[in-house]
Amino acid sequence: MGVAPLLAALEAISRSRADRALRLRGSLPAGNGWEAFELLIFRGFSSSVSHPTAFDPDQPALPEAARIASAELLQGPLDPAQERLLAGPASVEAFLDPAGWL
């Protein structure tokens, strides 16, 4: 599955789980190498916390060449002072099943 359909599937699941956020970590092509990224999916929207993204919400938040290394399920809404990890790190595919969102 490509990056855009993968993000769309995860965003669709997250719309019905306002009590969960999914954090994706991986790498993006940058110059002659790769650069780390972090992306949060909450209430149907993807938001990069490490890189700028397009203003258009219809555009995927990650380029197709992105490599997603891991995913973590967090208690939502997020509280940076008391982050609660519910599952992971795991492969992103583990969260394509809504049952994986606990």
Side-chain angles (χ1 to χ4, degrees):
M1 178 180 295
V3 171
L6 177 66
L7 291 179
L10 295 169
E11 289 168 348
I13 295 168
S14 77
R15 282 186 195 99
S16 64
R17 295 305 310 251
D19 61 336
R20 302 287 187 261
L22 189 66
R23 177 171 39 215
L24 306 180
R25 291 187 172 151
S27 54
L28 299 170
N32 292 332
W34 293 85
E35 189 173 289
F37 77 82
E38 185 174 312
L39 186 85
L40 293 173
I41 300 175
F42 180 64
R43 296 184 123 186
F45 293 97
S46 294
S47 178
S48 175
V49 296
S50 59
H51 291 79
T53 57
F55 181 73
D56 184 355
D58 293 329
Q59 295 298 315
L62 294 173
E64 200 57 40
R67 296 179 183 165
I68 301 172
S70 66
E72 299 169 324
L73 189 66
L74 305 168
Q75 178 69 45
L78 293 178
D79 178 356
Q82 295 186 359
E83 182 176 283
R84 283 196 42 210
L85 179 65
L86 301 175
S91 72
V92 69
E93 290 80 13
F95 298 101
L96 286 172
D97 179 356
W101 290 60
L102 304 173

